[in-house]
Amino acid sequence: MNIAINTDHFEFKADQEKSYSQVDKKELYSIANTVTKLIAPSWPLADFVAVNPLWGFKDRPFLSTQSRLRSLIGSGILPSTDFFLNHFEKNNLQESEINNVLLEAKLTGNLDNDTFKANSELLNSRFLAALNNSKKDKTDYKTPTFSEYLETLGLVKNIDGLFIDEISKFCGIYFDKGQAAFKSPLQELSLFKAWNHLARTDRTLNILGFSDFKSFLEKYANEYEEILFEAYKILDYRKDILEIFLELNLFSIKGWSSYVRHLAFEDEKTLKQNDTPLELLCIKIAYEIYLIKKAPIRDVKNYINLLKARISIVPNQKKDSILYLSQLILERRFIRSLAKNIAPAALTPYERKTMQAIFCIDVRSENFRNNLEQQSDNIETYGFAGFFGLCFNHCQSDYDYNINQYPALLSTRFKIKEKNSLEEFKTNSLNALIKSLRQSVCSGFSYVEGFGLYYLYEIAKDVLRVQSPESRINTAPQLELELTLEQKVEASINLLKNSGLRIPYAPTVLLCGHESSTNNNPFQSALDCGACGGHSGGINALVASRILNDQSVRESLLGSEYEIPVDTVFVPAVHCTTTDEIHIIENDKNLDNEKIAWLQSATELSIKRRSAAIGLEQSESILKDVSKRAQDWSEVRPEWGLAGNAAFIAARRSRTKKSDLAGRCFLHEYDSESDPQDKILELIMTAPMIVASWINLQYYTCATTPEFFGAGNKTIHNVVGQLGVLEGNSGDLKIGLPMQSVHDGKKSMHEPLRLQVIIEAQMENITKIVEKHDLLNDLINNGWLKIFSLSRESNEMHQLVRNEVWYRHS
Amino acid sequence: MTIIIALICSSPSIAFYIFSSLRYPLDRRTRLSFSGVSLTCLTCSFIAIGLFLMAPSIANSYSAEKYLIIFYLDRISYIMAFVVSIIGFTVVRFSVRYMDGDNRQLYFLKWLSITVTAVFWLIFSGSILLFLLSWLAVSACLHKLLVYFADRPKALNAARKKFIVSRIGDLAIISGCIILLKCFGTLVFRDMFFLAAQSGPTTNSWQFQIAMLLIALGAVSKSAQLFFHSWLPESLEVPTPVSALMHAGIINAGGFLIVRLSPLFAQASLASCILAVWGTLTAVFAMSAMVTQSSVKKRLAYSTIGQMGFMIMQCGLGLYALAMLHIVAHSFYKAYAFLRSGSAMQQASSQAFFPNKVQLSGWRIVAIVFLFTTASLITSNFFKISYLPLILVWASVILQAFISDTLQVSSKDRKYALLASFRLLSVMLISYLALAYIFSATLSGIVAGSWIDTRPDLLSNIAVISVSLLIASGFILQLLIVSSKTNKLIASLAIHLHNGLYLGSYFDRACNAVLPHSLQIKKLKGKI
């Protein structure tokens, strides 16, 4: 009997065995390494920034990513058929629209020719019918991992989930940033070694019946390269199958993979090698290989055949094409209505204003800027990346982590230290003591008995919401800037030049960062300034204004085109996006009553305009209601963040000043006349535009594929390791935005559109820059965003369809 | 009178049914129902305060009333009612915005309010029969809330485990009650306590002792003590307010049962002794497991288990008034901690303070041992012996504070840190002593005195000594876990503790053997 069992299981014939050295180690390594790059990085909760979760696919066309994802995760990223049907039901579909998008698809080449022909027969008047038909196409194209495959065969149950729980448990311990009082010694080892150690010690799998798992580890999983080779061996030494096998497993633990990808991403900035993503992938496939060793050989062979068959299949082409065309229709409709809102170019001579205000390009600034400008003709606002071009590490106190105050794609330049007060030291030491008392065997009990009743008071305070929201930036703190004069002057010139601030500068120049105000919300940083690395932008505004107000800097600028008038004062402020209030950080004496009144009525108008979306009634007390809501510890939807974002406009403010853009546009100031060498344009297109696209695709995917790219339901979130959330007990780390960030329970708050970039610049200038940067080429040619050139003189727009080809938008 | 009390006890559900049946659009009805239920709970808490203050006069006026067969009204009931109504109020208020957008909000509120109602009935029940019925009702309602997300397999799994544990507990209690009925001839608390106070042959009989053992088993299962604990850290697949209600309210039921039956437990040395040891074991285990947990809610869950263990230990030592204090204080503490679990990041940033580095140098170990021994020697002479373990606990608290990270900092501001810890500890100690005094004073005559002091015998010595030893070793174990970074044994132990000593997995395996849910590993016969 024993013999029979043995032959029935996976054994390799001697002639098939190749030794490790014969195979190109490096090649396997590089295959696996490339695969891990498919996953986009995901930042920890403290520095949560929006990420394009499909960053790894940027060099592939949007549409083929759609079908690739169907195979990998069982779902594409385009909105569902029902979504489009609903949309077209409400807004009738025009024949001309279909023709237009067919043309666009043809020009962009995103639909390949064959599909295109087949579809064109179907289309025209029968578009809706075709769309309706595609609903029936529900075939499950998900290629299973081996454990999922065994589940479908009925040989095992819940095993995939079990393995993911085990990995997640391990990662929670290994990556813990201080949630557990016990710092695991495993953190000192490399990821794979640590896992190997934990898996040998942990008895969970043993208890559940995998009694030989430990011996498997000893035999096959001492080094991650061994596991990789083992997989290769099992998969008939076929690199293409190995690749798909690795991809499937990578996506089965996409949460933790994204987190470790972020670690590697940060290391790559300093050209450090980081194999953690690869190690994590090998951990996952170790479990799979264990199952393969245990499973009947027939099933393993069938599985390999299944993988082979899946390599060549392009699933759901027809359905995806029609969904893609519908997406194009939606986007065209949006761009049309947006074009109507763009004012024709007007040549008004510039006079010195009373107040100039620079805001972040964030879509939430748009509403406020619009309302502020309405207050007086003497106000001018600008849109600029909210970190004000300053990349620094902010060290709030000796006892805090250093906070990165710059976009995730850049790296740090200098350091800012806040002087600590004694008070701060006292509170911190008290907090540390309380923590240590609460977290240990005996003192935990006494602490509860001594102070438990005090929490009744805390509960009352929170239920009654007596605190009013405060800015997180200290008013006029003492800062230590580690900058030389040259650096300061350079930073000043960059800021003044790139923000397009017009000369002569107004007596008051408001530098306005932004932050959110929410309570008891693990996703607070998702609502903060993405350009400031998911933190409050106030500190950047403060540092920028300190530099610009510096007398020696001003002296150095004397005589240059950026000379700052003597009476000009830069006032740092922070815009609270939850309450739309402006908090002045320092130099508030410079603001007279009139200016303060402007800001206050802008606040009021902005809230009123948002009130319907956040479900508040327009009443006298609306300001209070909003501020109460911001402090509500049970509030899961304090504000809608960047939901609804759809366009990025780099143009003079006069083009958009008078129009209501519904808070859907990133607005960057750009005047091509003051940029003869296209330096500013290049900067805009390679930095803020990319960040905007990340944000855009983060919201896009969270709206269309929440089950995979969203962080799930806030009500069962469980913060793990002070870096991310789990849903409930365990499972994979959750990435992306929670359901409550994009959905109000009845309807989605984000209409999924790819970023529509409108630049007021000549087509050839834009083309030149795109040609120069492979990244831009990839993003545009593959359809991850669309670029339009807006004429300086008229409202004419041209779309860049592919490599230097422009076509006029109508 | 009977009807009035019954109405008050049922008021949350009544409020729910009234408000939810109003003919308004769904949104408005939902809002109104939430406000209605929360206000009802708040009113109940005021009633409880009023009753508590008037308690002595009430007790005199109705001594012979009939409804006392149905209801039991004393300060314990009022205190518990106050706690539960405040927790209920908070949780319902919290859910208004927290559950916003969920299309089953009314369903959620319905079961929330019925659960609170069932707990009220439990608190005020005057006989074991009613007590048992409400006990079962609480369990059933909680089950409904635990499977609120019925599409989550892990939620179902945890609920199933809880179901099995609860039924084991129920079985123990029911059989215990049957024996009690045989011993006393009645199930009405008032009569049973009267008979027990005479300390006659009934309480000395082995039947009585066994009955109390069984009831203790039921209490232990309800309060998630060691071996019955695994469902608690696994039942996080519920909305946070449900966790808060469970960890702050329902989990106390086991402790409440013991305090309620304190006149009986005071006569049951064996059961009490076992409770004391079991509770301490749980406390030490769970708090050690807690320090290894890397997710915030799991940490809180283990903290609850540990705190319940400590409370059960106090019950076992006969310190019922202190156990009540613990229940009350812990409820507010844990409700707050759970509802605030979303602030884990903000709390972290203010507490990321010093790197965790407790160093155990030689002289510190000597100091610990020295302090422990002197403290216990001095105190056992001056205080009642039943307080010994508590004094040990306090000694270790002080030690903990002095070796904690704060004072490791070598800075010129060290003296402020020292001063701060000194102040904090004094406030903590004084407020504890004051509260302990208040609780003992207000509950004197209502709960029984400690059996350890009134009837010192072999069992009481065993209880005190083993509890003290366990506390001391727990403290040292904890220090070892936190301080040693490289010790392999400790590292492995931490992994086992992180898994809750695998009781959940054993449970899973046991379930898998009978349920169709199984992993069916046996079909995979390949050899490694």
Side-chain angles (χ1 to χ4, degrees):
Chain A
M1 200 56 205
N2 264 339
I3 302 161
I5 289 169
N6 269 342
T7 50
D8 192 32
H9 287 82
F10 214 81
E11 291 286 322
F12 291 95
K13 289 180 198 118
D15 57 314
Q16 259 193 352
E17 286 276 3
K18 296 185 192 175
S19 74
Y20 197 6
S21 56
Q22 277 173 301
V23 188
D24 195 352
K25 249 192 200 179
K26 271 189 187 156
E27 203 179 343
L28 278 192
Y29 173 84
S30 83
I31 287 176
N33 226 343
T34 320
V35 167
T36 60
K37 289 196 172 135
L38 274 183
I39 284 270
S42 168
W43 271 259
L45 284 180
D47 326 282
F48 188 98
V49 287
V51 174
N52 167 11
L54 301 167
W55 190 239
F57 291 89
K58 62 181 181 294
D59 52 356
R60 311 175 186 206
F62 185 86
L63 199 57
S64 68
T65 305
Q66 162 87 0
S67 49
R68 189 93 194 82
L69 284 174
R70 277 193 196 283
S71 159
L72 285 175
I73 66 174
S75 159
I77 39 165
L78 279 166
S80 66
T81 313
D82 284 329
F83 169 82
F84 287 122
L85 282 175
N86 253 332
H87 189 89
F88 295 140
E89 203 172 287
K90 277 184 220 143
N91 316 281
N92 262 334
L93 194 60
Q94 305 290 323
E95 181 89 32
S96 62
E97 283 183 298
I98 301 169
N99 288 330
N100 274 334
V101 293
L102 277 171
L103 181 65
E104 185 181 339
K106 194 175 178 180
L107 287 169
T108 53
N110 282 343
L111 285 185
D112 69 67
N113 274 339
D114 291 344
T115 347
F116 184 67
K117 267 179 213 149
N119 273 309
S120 68
E121 290 156 22
L122 242 171
L123 288 172
N124 291 332
S125 55
R126 275 173 294 174
F127 188 86
L128 277 181
L131 188 58
N132 228 332
N133 269 338
S134 77
K135 212 157 73 172
K136 290 176 200 147
D137 194 347
K138 275 186 184 153
T139 340
D140 181 12
Y141 284 100
K142 165 95 172 79
T143 310
T145 59
F146 188 70
S147 43
E148 284 166 341
Y149 181 70
L150 282 189
E151 281 173 25
T152 55
L153 292 183
L155 278 178
V156 281
K157 278 181 181 165
N158 302 327
I159 198 146
D160 190 48
L162 175 69
F163 288 159
I164 292 193
D165 284 353
E166 286 297 298
I167 296 173
S168 191
K169 177 172 80 186
F170 159 68
C171 285
I173 297 173
Y174 184 81
F175 292 113
D176 182 18
K177 290 183 162 189
Q179 187 71 54
F182 173 69
K183 191 168 178 288
S184 174
L186 294 178
Q187 296 191 351
E188 320 266 306
L189 304 172
S190 77
L191 185 76
F192 195 85
K193 291 266 182 219
W195 167 76
N196 188 285
H197 181 85
L198 180 125
R200 285 183 195 202
T201 317
D202 195 309
R203 293 183 36 78
T204 309
L205 286 181
N206 195 4
I207 292 166
L208 290 177
F210 300 90
S211 46
D212 44 6
F213 188 64
K214 204 170 156 184
S215 46
F216 166 79
L217 289 175
E218 275 158 12
K219 206 163 167 191
Y220 297 101
N222 294 307
E223 302 287 337
Y224 69 87
E225 290 98 338
E226 272 177 40
I227 277 294
L228 203 56
F229 181 72
E230 198 59 40
Y232 184 52
K233 204 161 82 177
I234 287 167
L235 300 168
D236 293 347
Y237 299 100
R238 286 211 19 201
K239 282 172 189 135
D240 50 349
I241 304 183
L242 177 69
E243 204 176 319
I244 190 171
F245 180 78
L246 293 178
E247 282 176 13
L248 285 170
N249 283 298
L250 179 75
F251 276 83
S252 69
I253 40 159
K254 57 118 188 357
W256 285 107
S257 293
S258 308
Y259 178 71
V260 294
R261 185 81 202 96
H262 138 75
L263 298 177
F265 189 86
E266 294 291 348
D267 275 351
E268 278 162 17
K269 284 184 192 169
T270 52
L271 301 175
K272 243 192 281 171
Q273 197 186 351
N274 187 331
D275 283 341
T276 336
L278 182 55
E279 288 178 39
L280 182 62
L281 178 56
C282 288
I283 290 172
K284 172 74 214 291
I285 60 174
Y287 287 101
E288 296 282 308
I289 290 172
Y290 170 70
L291 273 190
I292 289 176
K293 303 262 177 202
K294 298 275 289 176
I297 187 161
R298 175 174 29 93
D299 294 330
V300 179
K301 285 210 162 127
N302 285 343
Y303 179 69
I304 295 173
N305 286 335
L306 178 106
L307 288 186
K308 275 180 197 160
R310 283 297 166 94
I311 287 176
S312 51
I313 287 183
V314 183
N316 257 346
Q317 234 168 22
K318 216 165 166 185
K319 180 176 179 176
D320 285 344
S321 317
I322 198 139
L323 287 176
Y324 187 67
L325 288 171
S326 309
Q327 172 80 37
L328 286 180
I329 293 176
L330 237 65
E331 285 167 355
R332 280 185 78 89
R333 283 180 171 182
F334 169 78
I335 212 77
R336 265 188 157 196
S337 66
L338 186 64
K340 276 183 210 149
N341 266 323
I342 291 178
L347 270 178
T348 42
Y350 178 70
E351 288 163 24
R352 195 176 184 208
K353 307 284 181 190
T354 330
M355 180 160 93
Q356 287 172 312
I358 304 182
F359 286 86
C360 184
I361 55 169
D362 194 287
V363 298
R364 290 167 291 181
S365 304
E366 189 257 307
N367 180 21
F368 190 88
R369 286 174 63 186
N370 193 295
N371 291 314
L372 182 61
E373 282 160 349
Q374 280 176 27
Q375 303 302 317
S376 161
D377 281 341
N378 265 322
I379 306 172
E380 199 171 49
T381 69
Y382 294 82
F384 187 53
F387 71 114
F388 297 102
L390 303 170
C391 298
F392 60 85
N393 252 311
H394 177 211
C395 180
Q396 201 159 24
S397 72
D398 293 341
Y399 322 110
D400 265 333
Y401 301 112
N402 286 352
I403 301 167
N404 297 344
Q405 292 286 142
Y406 49 82
L409 288 159
L410 304 179
S411 353
T412 182
R413 291 280 180 73
F414 59 99
K415 228 180 176 179
I416 300 287
K417 231 180 124 180
E418 263 182 59
K419 277 246 175 79
N420 290 129
S421 62
L422 192 59
E423 280 310 305
E424 219 164 329
F425 174 81
K426 284 184 191 166
T427 9
N428 275 327
S429 67
L430 195 65
N431 281 339
L433 180 65
I434 289 177
K435 189 184 179 186
S436 95
L437 284 181
R438 274 164 54 170
Q439 290 206 341
S440 38
V441 166
C442 295
S443 50
F445 309 127
S446 302
Y447 178 82
V448 163
E449 292 187 336
F451 288 136
L453 284 179
Y454 163 77
Y455 286 91
L456 182 57
Y457 165 71
E458 287 283 337
I459 288 174
K461 231 167 51 178
D462 272 322
V463 168
L464 301 173
R465 282 174 268 164
V466 285
Q467 297 139 308
S468 60
E470 278 172 16
S471 168
R472 273 174 280 145
I473 300 296
N474 303 332
T475 307
Q478 280 188 299
L479 288 184
E480 285 170 27
L481 295 185
E482 292 168 7
L483 279 181
T484 61
L485 181 62
E486 285 74 43
Q487 287 173 310
K488 283 183 189 173
V489 173
E490 194 199 338
S492 309
I493 293 179
N494 279 339
L495 201 167
L496 294 170
K497 183 172 73 184
N498 297 335
S499 66
L501 199 66
R502 293 205 275 183
I503 42 175
Y505 306 130
T508 303
V509 181
L510 204 63
L511 300 180
C512 211
H514 65 94
E515 64 180 12
S516 65
S517 171
T518 81
N519 192 348
N520 203 14
N521 180 4
F523 283 87
Q524 176 174 45
S525 56
L527 298 173
D528 281 343
C529 181
C532 301
H535 309 112
S536 165
I539 190 75
N540 288 64
L542 178 67
V543 172
S545 75
R546 288 263 170 103
I547 293 175
L548 288 164
N549 288 330
D550 190 329
Q551 272 312 314
S552 51
V553 170
R554 291 190 177 204
E555 275 159 29
S556 312
L557 289 175
L558 276 181
S560 77
E561 59 180 306
Y562 305 107
E563 181 179 330
I564 299 169
V566 187
D567 64 339
T568 295
V569 177
F570 290 85
V571 180
V574 57
H575 170 209
C576 173
T577 49
T578 320
T579 61
D580 268 325
E581 277 170 311
I582 300 283
H583 165 77
I584 307 293
I585 301 171
E586 66 181 11
N587 301 342
D588 43 349
K589 281 184 199 128
N590 190 258
L591 296 181
D592 52 27
N593 288 341
E594 189 190 22
K595 285 173 193 150
I596 288 173
W598 288 343
L599 291 173
Q600 277 169 354
S601 42
T603 298
E604 209 162 313
L605 284 174
S606 308
I607 290 177
K608 280 189 180 151
R609 198 181 286 176
R610 284 195 305 137
S611 61
I614 53 175
L616 283 178
E617 279 159 32
Q618 290 221 13
S619 64
E620 294 286 299
S621 62
I622 191 161
L623 287 177
K624 259 192 192 161
D625 292 347
V626 168
S627 116
K628 266 195 171 175
R629 184 193 180 88
Q631 268 321 99
D632 190 345
W633 69 331
S634 62
E635 181 58 64
V636 285
R637 296 183 180 86
E639 57 162 298
W640 285 114
L642 292 116
N645 74 80
F648 178 96
I649 305 177
R652 288 167 296 167
R653 178 59 174 158
S654 55
R655 305 302 299 267
T656 52
K657 190 171 173 178
K658 292 280 187 291
S659 33
D660 177 7
L661 302 172
R664 302 191 67 178
C665 300
F666 298 89
L667 298 179
H668 199 297
E669 189 70 21
Y670 179 66
D671 186 348
S672 53
E673 244 170 33
S674 57
D675 183 32
Q677 268 133 32
D678 296 335
K679 285 277 179 235
I680 303 177
L681 183 63
E682 186 172 355
L683 190 74
I684 292 176
M685 288 178 66
T686 50
M689 189 182 90
I690 304 296
V691 172
S693 160
W694 273 32
I695 296 171
N696 170 266
L697 285 162
Q698 174 87 81
Y699 276 86
Y700 185 102
T701 47
C702 286
T704 58
T705 327
E707 63 284 359
F708 196 79
F709 291 112
N713 193 333
K714 265 186 168 179
T715 60
I716 49 172
H717 275 172
N718 180 7
V719 177
V720 61
Q722 297 188 338
L723 59 89
V725 291
L726 306 175
E727 258 192 324
N729 296 339
S730 51
D732 196 8
L733 187 74
K734 288 286 171 181
I735 56 165
L737 298 162
M739 177 275 279
Q740 278 90 344
S741 294
V742 286
H743 209 280
D744 76 351
K746 294 191 185 83
K747 59 182 188 302
S748 171
M749 297 302 286
H750 181 77
E751 184 187 23
L753 300 178
R754 290 171 293 172
L755 193 67
Q756 315 287 309
V757 180
I758 298 173
I759 301 175
E760 193 189 22
Q762 299 278 329
M763 288 177 265
E764 52 271 23
N765 299 14
I766 297 174
T767 315
K768 251 189 264 160
I769 292 165
V770 174
E771 290 300 298
K772 212 167 130 187
H773 295 274
D774 288 344
L775 173 62
L776 291 178
N777 240 323
D778 277 347
L779 290 178
I780 293 161
N781 285 343
N782 293 325
W784 294 104
L785 53 81
K786 291 188 192 170
I787 287 205
F788 298 87
S789 147
L790 173 68
S791 156
R792 255 184 95 85
E793 286 78 33
S794 67
N795 270 15
E796 213 173 66
M797 283 211 278
H798 286 81
Q799 184 184 353
L800 176 58
V801 280
R802 71 186 291 112
N803 307 329
E804 298 176 47
V805 183
W806 291 83
Y807 101 107
R808 196 173 149 192
H809 218 267
S810 53
Chain B
M1 194 66 186
T2 316
I3 292 174
I4 294 176
I5 301 174
L7 277 178
I8 293 177
C9 285
S10 319
S11 58
S13 321
I14 296 173
F16 172 79
Y17 278 103
I18 292 174
F19 284 104
S20 63
S21 51
L22 291 176
R23 290 175 184 228
Y24 283 126
L26 184 66
D27 276 1
R28 184 145 182 231
R29 209 171 54 194
T30 310
R31 266 208 312 275
L32 276 173
S33 310
F34 270 96
S35 321
V37 175
S38 67
L39 284 179
T40 313
C41 285
L42 192 63
T43 319
C44 287
S45 74
F46 287 125
I47 295 176
I49 294 176
L51 286 171
F52 179 82
L53 294 176
M54 298 188 306
S57 52
I58 298 179
N60 288 335
S61 66
Y62 61 43
S63 52
E65 297 283 345
K66 257 222 164 134
Y67 58 78
L68 289 184
I69 294 170
I70 301 178
F71 296 111
Y72 196 86
L73 303 165
D74 65 353
R75 280 190 158 157
I76 296 174
S77 316
Y78 307 143
I79 293 176
M80 287 305 290
F82 174 73
V83 171
V84 168
S85 53
I86 288 286
I87 303 288
F89 165 71
T90 311
V91 161
V92 172
R93 263 301 286 269
F94 190 88
S95 309
V96 177
R97 290 301 308 157
Y98 202 69
M99 301 301 288
D100 180 54
D102 190 310
N103 53 16
R104 291 183 300 154
Q105 278 178 86
L106 277 180
Y107 174 84
F108 178 75
L109 182 63
K110 178 170 121 191
W111 286 106
L112 212 56
S113 57
I114 297 180
T115 310
V116 175
T117 302
V119 177
F120 276 151
W121 277 89
L122 182 78
I123 290 168
F124 283 105
S125 47
S127 65
I128 285 215
L129 201 62
L130 187 57
F131 191 96
L132 262 180
L133 284 176
S134 358
W135 179 275
L136 293 174
V138 170
S139 182
C141 296
L142 184 63
H143 189 82
K144 280 280 179 192
L145 289 170
L146 285 180
V147 296
Y148 182 70
F149 292 115
D151 53 340
R152 299 186 64 81
K154 280 176 200 146
L156 300 180
N157 194 30
R160 201 176 54 213
K161 280 186 189 177
K162 159 94 175 77
F163 189 83
I164 294 171
V165 169
S166 294
R167 296 299 82 81
I168 294 173
D170 294 344
L171 202 69
I173 290 196
I174 291 172
S175 32
C177 290
I178 293 172
I179 303 176
L180 275 189
L181 181 64
K182 274 198 127 182
C183 292
F184 289 110
T186 174
L187 282 178
V188 177
F189 287 144
R190 195 178 48 162
D191 303 341
M192 284 194 326
F193 297 165
F194 179 74
L195 289 172
Q198 289 162 351
S199 191
T202 359
T203 51
N204 288 334
S205 69
W206 61 272
Q207 287 101 329
F208 172 76
Q209 298 294 338
I210 285 190
M212 294 319 285
L213 271 177
L214 285 168
I215 290 180
L217 185 69
V220 154
S221 76
K222 195 74 175 179
S223 284
Q225 297 298 287
L226 192 60
F227 306 120
F228 293 110
H229 69 273
S230 75
W231 64 272
L232 195 68
E234 283 173 34
S235 57
L236 299 172
E237 304 262 333
V238 291
T240 314
V242 175
S243 295
L245 181 69
M246 194 159 82
H247 289 253
I250 295 165
I251 195 88
N252 292 318
F256 173 70
L257 170 66
I258 300 172
V259 176
R260 168 58 81 228
L261 294 180
S262 69
L264 303 186
F265 271 102
Q267 308 289 337
S269 308
L270 185 60
S272 293
C273 181
I274 288 175
L275 279 177
V277 175
W278 200 331
T280 322
L281 262 177
T282 308
V284 170
F285 150 72
M287 292 307 254
S288 309
M290 180 187 82
V291 298
T292 65
Q293 297 304 318
S294 52
S295 74
V296 69
K297 285 185 177 174
K298 276 246 158 92
R299 186 169 72 70
L300 289 174
Y302 276 101
S303 152
T304 303
I305 298 171
Q307 300 282 357
M308 286 300 115
F310 192 73
M311 187 265 294
I312 294 285
M313 175 205 90
Q314 289 173 322
C315 288
L317 292 175
L319 307 170
Y320 304 109
L322 294 183
M324 271 309 280
L325 166 62
H326 199 92
I327 288 178
V328 174
H330 174 254
S331 293
F332 294 130
Y333 170 73
K334 197 46 64 68
Y336 182 78
F338 250 105
L339 296 179
R340 269 259 159 223
S341 63
S343 304
M345 297 308 302
Q346 282 75 16
Q347 285 162 7
S349 68
S350 66
Q351 289 173 4
F353 210 44
F354 306 108
N356 231 328
K357 47 159 197 234
V358 175
Q359 284 156 357
L360 268 185
S361 56
W363 69 268
R364 284 209 179 87
I365 295 178
V366 175
I368 292 167
V369 176
F370 176 74
L371 267 169
F372 258 118
T373 35
T374 42
S376 39
L377 279 176
I378 295 169
T379 48
S380 57
N381 282 329
F382 286 103
F383 294 82
K384 287 176 193 162
I385 186 130
S386 57
Y387 280 63
L388 181 68
L390 298 187
I391 288 153
L392 270 183
V393 167
W394 272 98
S396 55
V397 171
I398 291 161
L399 271 174
Q400 170 76 31
F402 276 87
I403 55 170
S404 75
D405 323 340
T406 322
L407 303 177
Q408 307 273 320
V409 68
S410 55
S411 136
K412 59 182 182 346
D413 299 327
R414 190 167 180 268
K415 59 174 184 224
Y416 295 107
L418 252 170
L419 202 66
S421 13
F422 182 70
R423 264 195 221 138
L424 184 81
L425 281 177
S426 336
V427 173
M428 197 163 123
L429 187 58
I430 291 168
S431 95
Y432 170 70
L433 289 176
L435 286 168
Y437 175 77
I438 294 172
F439 268 76
S440 309
T442 47
L443 294 181
S444 76
I446 294 169
V447 292
S450 173
W451 60 280
I452 289 180
D453 303 322
T454 50
R455 283 183 291 113
D457 57 5
L458 182 65
L459 270 176
S460 74
N461 285 333
I462 291 176
V464 171
I465 292 170
S466 47
V467 167
S468 306
L469 282 177
L470 277 171
I471 288 175
S473 54
F475 180 68
I476 289 165
L477 174 75
Q478 158 107 22
L479 284 183
L480 285 176
I481 289 179
V482 177
S483 61
S484 74
K485 293 268 179 278
T486 43
N487 191 323
K488 259 198 164 167
L489 209 67
I490 296 285
S492 306
L493 180 66
I495 292 169
H496 300 318
L497 281 170
H498 184 93
N499 286 303
L501 298 185
Y502 309 105
L503 285 159
S505 303
Y506 280 113
F507 216 108
D508 273 335
R509 189 172 73 179
C511 289
N512 285 338
V514 273
L515 292 159
H517 227 68
S518 65
L519 289 160
Q520 298 169 336
I521 301 300
K522 281 173 199 146
K523 286 191 187 169
L524 303 176
K525 295 178 195 140
K527 280 205 178 143
I528 295 300

